[in-house]
Amino acid sequence: MSQNNMLAMILAGGRGSRLKDLTNKVAKPAVSYGGKYRIIDFPLSNCANSGINVVGVLTQYESVLLNSYVAQGRRWGLDSNGSGVFVLPPREKADADLDVYRGTADAISQNIDFIDSYDPEYLLILSGDHIYKMNYDNMLAFHKEHNADATIAVIGVPMKEASRFGIMNTDENGKIMEFEEKPAEPKSNLASMGIYIFNWKLLRKLLVADMKNPDSSHDFGKDIIPTLLNDGKSLWAYQFKGYWKDVGTIDSLWEANMDLLDDKSGLNLEDPEWKIYTEDASALPQYIGPNAQIKTAFITQGCKIDGSVTRSVLFTGSVVKPGAKVTDTVLMPGAVVEEGAVVTRALVANNVKIGPNAVVGDANSENIELVAKNVKGEE
């Protein structure tokens, strides 16, 4: 348990269908990011850096890779002295055809026994699919300072985008007065980040009642938070000021990778005080050929570059062969761009090959092109 008696639960069961072919065989939190990371490295590293050493990861969709990955708790310093990362899949239900979590609250309800075994005073609930760095200990201090029953992390978003999020309407002090799920006409721009701190005993009572309610969606946003507000409980908005990205679409995942090339993006993965931990890939250092041309690129170990790379992010083991041109593009692990191929404004999935002299993507396209299957080039 953390020094503040807080246990963390990461909701990592989502499919991420808007990421299309990238999540055909892996859960969204297991998708690769930033050259060598996976998306779930961020909440796990945040927990480790915040002094939280018991973390439950609730998995569901295509969970085999994710389960084996997060079970290696030592990557985040979470595997000793009673600490650990625990994989928590849905339990079998006699009255259901599938073993699934019915909603975000149901995912926690099914694991009440696990949580009770640690007897926490506070429960931290996290989404497993966002890119950000946050000190949860600071959020807990805010929660205690306001004597809150629940604290919800929020971030200011542009008003024109607010209708895409759960929006918190607060008073001048930050106390939540109203919660609106994706409102057509939002009253504020304080979007929920899917990060909650609850007093466990209170939440436990609500979850037990929610499980018995046949009309409930068993969801925090739709059921638990509105119930707390209706009951007159003290809910507070903790305003986060740093970098945060919901990488739920191909365009947003591409943008989050491109942000690594921008010193002003606010995303710094080099901070020695707040490291983002991941698996150590067994690959040689990158190789840059004598005729290679590189301008503004993020190049990971194992890459081999003999062509031209501009404003792009290359993941472990990706290859750009002689005469190939890669611009404004993300090459995921093992992607290969053959001789003479031109790739522009694209996201190339793991181990995909772009054939010789093939042309992929368009500098003037509105959306990023996902290349999830091999592209045949000229013979």
Side-chain angles (χ1 to χ4, degrees):
M1 292 297 298
S2 72
Q3 59 188 354
N4 281 307
N5 198 21
M6 183 162 70
L7 182 149
M9 299 288 272
I10 300 177
L11 302 170
R15 173 170 182 171
S17 57
R18 291 179 298 159
L19 288 175
K20 302 176 182 176
D21 289 350
L22 292 184
T23 53
N24 277 351
K25 296 181 180 178
V26 299
K28 180 180 173 184
V31 169
S32 298
Y33 166 77
K36 65 176 185 176
Y37 303 96
R38 294 186 187 275
I39 294 170
I40 200 167
D41 287 334
F42 287 80
L44 283 170
S45 296
N46 288 340
C47 285
N49 290 326
S50 300
I52 298 167
N53 49 25
V54 177
V55 182
V57 180
L58 294 88
T59 64
Q60 181 169 269
Y61 169 79
E62 290 290 353
S63 60
V64 175
L65 173 64
L66 183 60
N67 290 354
S68 61
Y69 184 73
V70 302
Q72 304 299 315
R74 63 181 179 274
R75 288 180 183 140
W76 306 276
L78 297 169
D79 69 339
S80 61
N81 298 324
S83 66
V85 181
F86 299 90
V87 177
L88 303 169
R91 299 182 186 181
E92 292 185 17
K93 298 188 185 74
D95 60 345
D97 294 328
L98 296 173
D99 303 333
V100 296
Y101 289 131
R102 296 171 294 171
T104 53
D106 183 52
I108 303 299
S109 298
Q110 287 195 40
N111 291 287
I112 283 177
D113 290 347
F114 169 81
I115 299 167
D116 279 345
S117 69
Y118 288 94
D119 191 27
E121 188 172 356
Y122 307 101
L123 186 70
L124 172 68
I125 298 174
L126 307 168
S127 295
D129 51 9
H130 298 145
I131 305 295
Y132 69 105
K133 299 192 296 183
M134 179 191 280
N135 189 328
Y136 305 132
D137 203 37
N138 289 346
M139 183 176 171
L140 180 59
F142 175 93
H143 178 85
K144 291 178 177 179
E145 177 188 344
H146 292 87
N147 197 26
D149 293 308
T151 296
I152 301 169
V154 298
I155 190 166
V157 297
M159 279 301 289
K160 63 181 180 180
E161 295 181 20
S163 58
R164 293 173 40 215
F165 298 92
I167 295 295
M168 303 295 159
N169 299 322
T170 70
D171 67 13
E172 64 275 10
N173 298 315
K175 187 174 183 180
I176 298 169
M177 311 307 292
E178 182 184 26
F179 170 71
E180 294 183 290
E181 182 68 43
K182 299 181 180 179
E185 297 183 5
K187 299 172 187 173
S188 92
N189 68 333
L190 296 180
S192 170
M193 298 170 66
I195 301 170
Y196 315 106
I197 291 177
F198 293 98
N199 295 338
W200 171 237
K201 288 182 179 178
L202 171 62
L203 178 61
R204 192 185 191 285
K205 289 178 183 177
L206 288 177
L207 292 174
V208 169
D210 180 76
M211 281 191 289
K212 299 173 182 176
N213 181 359
D215 298 323
S216 175
S217 302
H218 312 293
D219 183 85
F220 281 104
K222 295 175 183 175
D223 305 289
I224 301 299
I225 293 170
T227 297
L228 284 166
L229 286 170
N230 290 337
D231 290 349
K233 299 300 182 182
S234 177
L235 274 67
W236 288 80
Y238 176 75
Q239 196 154 356
F240 178 66
K241 301 288 189 181
Y243 180 96
W244 179 78
K245 195 84 168 180
D246 179 352
V247 287
T249 64
I250 295 300
D251 283 21
S252 62
L253 180 60
W254 178 89
E255 288 166 5
N257 277 283
M258 288 294 142
D259 283 342
L260 294 169
L261 304 176
D262 181 1
D263 290 339
K264 298 177 182 178
S265 71
L267 179 60
N268 176 17
L269 300 186
E270 298 180 279
D271 184 356
E273 301 298 319
W274 203 268
K275 292 182 179 178
I276 303 300
Y277 302 97
T278 190
E279 64 183 335
D280 185 20
S282 54
L284 292 171
Q286 66 264 41
Y287 169 79
I288 311 298
N291 298 315
Q293 295 180 311
I294 300 173
K295 184 177 180 181
T296 315
F298 199 91
I299 301 171
T300 316
Q301 66 202 80
C303 291
K304 189 173 181 181
I305 304 171
D306 289 294
S308 169
V309 176
T310 305
R311 295 186 306 277
S312 296
V313 177
L314 277 60
F315 288 49
T316 306
S318 53
V319 176
V320 180
K321 293 194 175 179
K325 292 184 178 181
V326 175
T327 305
D328 294 325
T329 288
V330 174
L331 298 183
M332 299 188 92
V336 176
V337 183
E338 298 280 3
E339 289 90 343
V342 178
V343 185
T344 309
R345 275 180 66 77
L347 191 152
V348 183
N350 299 42
N351 302 313
V352 166
K353 289 187 177 181
I354 309 293
N357 300 310
V359 176
V360 173
D362 182 345
N364 298 314
S365 65
E366 183 178 348
N367 297 111
I368 300 306
E369 180 157 348
L370 170 64
V371 187
K373 297 178 181 177
N374 292 345
V375 176
K376 191 175 181 181
E378 295 179 359
E379 295 295 336

